[in-house]
Amino acid sequence: MTTEPHSFPRRHARTQRFTLGAPRSFTVAPDGSRVVFLRSGSGTDRANSLWVLDTEEGAERVAADPRALLGGASEDLSPEERARRERSREGGAGIVGYATDTAVELASFALSGRLFAAELRAGTARELSAPGPVIDPRPSPDGRHVAYVAQGALRVVGAEGEDDRALAEPESENVSYGLAEFIAAEEMGRSRGFWWAPESDRLLMARVDDTPVRRWWIADPAHPEREPQLVPYPAAGTGNAEVRLFVIGLDGLRTEVAWDRARYPYLAHVHWSAAGAPLLLVQARDQRSQLILAVDPDSGATRMVHADEDRTWLDLFPGVPCWSPSGQLVRIADEGGARVLAVGDRPLTGAQLHVRAVLDVSAHDVLISASAGAEAAGEAETGQVHVYRVNELGMERVSQEPGVHAAVRAGEVTVLVSAALNRPGSQVQVLRDGKPTRTVPSYAEDPGMSPRVTLTEGGARRVPCAVLMPRDYDGDTPLPVLMDPYGGPHGQRVVAAHNAHLTSQWFADQGFAVVVADGRGTPGRSPAWEKAIHHDFTLSLDDQVEALEDLAKRYPLDLSRVAIRGWSYGGWLAGLAVLRRPDVFHAGIAGAPVTDWSLYDTHYTERYLGIPAEHPEAYAKSSLVTAEGLSSPAEPHRPLMVVHGLADDNVVVAHALRLSSALLAAGRPHEVLPLSGVTHITPQEQVAENLLLLQVDFLKRSLGITTP
């Protein structure tokens, strides 16, 4: 299938959803003189360079250009690096990540498996001789060394390339040092496996042994001559990797960190700063209890700093736990029905805010990301996320305009990244003492369209919704409906940001009223809202139906022609909709759906549905492939398209194949669209483009929509 070169699907794919060319990954020097960031050269350029902004003069310069450093050669990524990028959903190229010393004078990064360092004041970069392929290089706080991982070994080299050596080498092919295991990177938000001491004389180092993890084969059926890839995958109810932690000196001498790993096997978070002893957050397998531990780096002994318990589950939050400069524990907790920021023993926020992340902790305040709490939220606040400064005296909102905001801060300088409904992309401002002084320009392409979107609420539960109409809509004619949700944990789709609604608007322009609904289980409202789906994912479907029926009272929606599409959890939700509620949904597109939750990973699935052997009823109710999953009135059977990447190592293609087999056995018509060589994300330009076009064709055929 071909289309005109400048169609939205082609531009959307070529620009990676209009993200290429946008600045990202900011680091602020402690003295506020420099802001370091990544940015590619244009809205269609995948290769990121490392940039430095002089905040006084406003001048930018390139500190490292991947094309110059590689001499024009193409990148060669190791399987380990590809896996890391898949876990972080990284679709870019060139320099996709970097780390700096404390002064933000030296940066290190891996490029095509080779080790590089950049002098950020001078704006020069050099290669350091190192055995590869290099993964996750990080300078010591004093800038004198760089630690990195190569072939499962944690190594260290001098900042000038001298005295490269291994600190710890794997004892077997199943062991690695200094890397995060699969579920830490995929589900816990922990993408790293080593941490420098503030004094730069030693490190904390994770040792991962994948021996207990069940092995799966990931094959490429389109290339039968290629060997399948053997991957360890910790499916729900099966063995996890064994994770241990060591303090290791630059001489290689190591001391094991001791805690009750049998009771708390998950190492979820590590923090080591000059403000206190290293902190660990360790979780029980059922994620209903966790400990914050302080480590004695000399002996490896730990002491409990704080303990949490919850009858459903305990969430993990970016930036915490950590120490404040005065040595108080900073954490986010669910207390009194609200998600609050606590410093020491005192909550500093209440029900008015739903705290999402800690962005920075200074001697004077804590910088946080938060949305309006359940008691304070209203339709006017739908989809907004703001940055706040909080201390014992109160709070101040740093971001002013309606939208979605994030920030990075050091000293008196804050980099504020802001998205809004009324403009494309994100605006990046450099604030000093809270006042804008500079902007960081974006090279991202303008999408060439503005979503015609209304943010509202639907149903008695006030489900957050986005309603999109065709841009040329006359305002009266009832339109066929396309529900376009994610609908699950960690996946807020109803946001006050322009680019978040571009694909939904494109579908709307094909003749649909598009509805995006964030029901129970999605983030952003309250702990009770998020935890309502405990042991029952199907509540997500109930909320989609409730929102749809209520919106139909206010908008001209044709409820005789309703379709639903989604990817991953949203793909499961789309499949569930047409199988369980054919009275409401008349067609569905299930992209990379989790059809059998016993095939998904431990940390995610067991948090919500429990251990399979202990809660088989929860898995059966939420499955698409069990007898209960397929139970619905015999007629009508609604059209369903199942789309899946054959190289997906997160939601493996077995999900789609088992669903297809179950549907065939039940005599239910359906279509399967296999994507050869595609993982859980679809970075291939032609695949991403044509996938949108094929979905529209399927929806129009299924709903009986004729195209003029």
Side-chain angles (χ1 to χ4, degrees), residues 462-480:
R462 297 170 41 234
V463 175
C465 296
V467 181
L468 297 100
M469 295 295 185
R471 286 175 292 164
D472 60 357
Y473 179 53
D474 61 17
D476 296 319
T477 306
L479 293 174

Side-chain angles (χ1 to χ4, degrees), residues 311-335:
R311 62 185 180 87
T312 52
W313 70 74
L314 291 158
D315 276 304
L316 302 173
F317 308 104
V320 288
C322 66
W323 296 117
S324 72
S326 63
Q328 290 184 294
L329 181 66
V330 180
R331 59 190 179 89
I332 297 172
D334 294 347
E335 296 181 1

Side-chain angles (χ1 to χ4, degrees), residues 11 59 112 127 165 196 317 332-333 411 432 439 501 540-541 574 590:
R11 295 183 64 227
S112 198
E127 183 173 3
R165 60 197 183 278
W196 278 101
F317 308 104
I332 297 172
R432 186 178 290 275
T439 60
H501 303 287
S540 300
L541 177 58

